[in-house]
Amino acid sequence: KNILRNLAERDCYIKVFPYDSSFSELSSFEPDGYFLSNGPGDPEPLTRAIATAKEILDSNKPLFGICLGHQVIALANGVSTYKMHNGHRGLNHPVINLKTGKSEVTSQNHGFAVDDSHLDEGWEPYFVNLNDNTCEGIKHKEKPFFSTQFHPEASSGPTDTEFLFDEFLDLVNNKKSN
């Protein structure tokens, strides 16, 4: 609920859809942007969600993904995921923001990770875990898409990474004004 709370605090009008909703179901809401949330388990069997993420990307509307959403976005771009030997669980996981060079304190709960060594030329790493160098976020270089493996809504720092919700809304507002 804290993801929804963060969006609502920023005056977003929100509609929640099941994980296996089609793009036509999502787009019938006529959203200004899309958000793929967290969830449990291995992302690879979520073929319908991956196909829907591809269609969202093709729509060129802003897209933000967290945790499982991050992994689904990667898979929609042909970037593989893998099961970690030891997942990331709990608070105080340090990540480096490659855009600012600052370390962020994050909350995490995942056992799969994105293999960012195979990002295509349009994408770049956004965050890297300082404990094990795993991918903690990706960002498109030109289009309004990004995702994070960690949970910016989880008040880990307590608000170290809440700026990502503002970044998403900036993408939405910029897209609407163009």
Side-chain angles (χ1 to χ4, degrees):
K1 287 189 176 182
N2 209 24
I3 291 171
L4 297 175
R5 191 175 299 118
N6 270 278
L7 292 169
E9 285 174 358
R10 289 161 173 84
D11 295 323
C12 293
Y13 183 71
I14 307 160
K15 182 166 182 175
V16 177
F17 290 85
Y19 80 96
D20 60 350
S21 296
S22 69
F23 180 70
S24 64
E25 291 170 308
L26 300 177
S27 60
S28 69
F29 181 60
E30 298 182 15
D32 294 321
Y34 294 92
F35 186 93
L36 299 181
S37 68
N38 54 315
D42 185 350
E44 285 189 32
L46 303 178
T47 55
R48 186 162 179 185
I50 295 165
T52 299
K54 285 180 187 179
E55 290 181 275
I56 291 170
L57 292 163
D58 288 343
S59 79
N60 210 31
K61 285 196 174 178
L63 174 62
F64 179 14
I66 290 178
C67 197
L68 184 66
H70 163 69
Q71 297 164 8
V72 167
I73 290 168
L75 289 166
N77 283 287
V79 177
S80 63
T81 59
Y82 61 93
K83 183 166 180 50
M84 302 172 75
H85 180 71
N86 292 309
H88 295 162
R89 312 278 182 220
L91 302 172
N92 298 325
H93 286 264
V95 302
I96 188 159
N97 180 330
L98 297 175
K99 183 177 167 183
T100 65
K102 292 181 179 178
S103 175
E104 313 282 0
V105 176
T106 66
S107 177
Q108 303 197 18
N109 186 22
H110 61 99
F112 290 82
V114 169
D115 180 1
D116 67 345
S117 67
H118 295 99
L119 289 176
D120 78 21
E121 60 196 46
W123 291 83
E124 61 189 355
Y126 190 2
F127 294 93
V128 174
N129 189 295
L130 290 171
N131 290 328
D132 62 8
N133 293 317
T134 54
C135 176
E136 291 288 343
I138 57 176
K139 182 178 189 89
H140 198 279
K141 294 176 185 176
E142 298 171 7
K143 297 182 179 182
F145 317 136
F146 71 97
S147 62
T148 64
Q149 183 62 71
F150 56 85
H151 294 266
E153 82 286 359
S155 303
S156 53
T159 59
D160 281 16
T161 55
E162 279 187 359
F163 72 89
L164 292 167
F165 291 99
D166 298 321
E167 182 175 325
F168 176 59
L169 291 181
D170 287 345
L171 292 173
V172 168
N173 291 326
N174 288 339
K175 187 72 171 175
K176 283 173 53 174
S177 66
N178 289 336

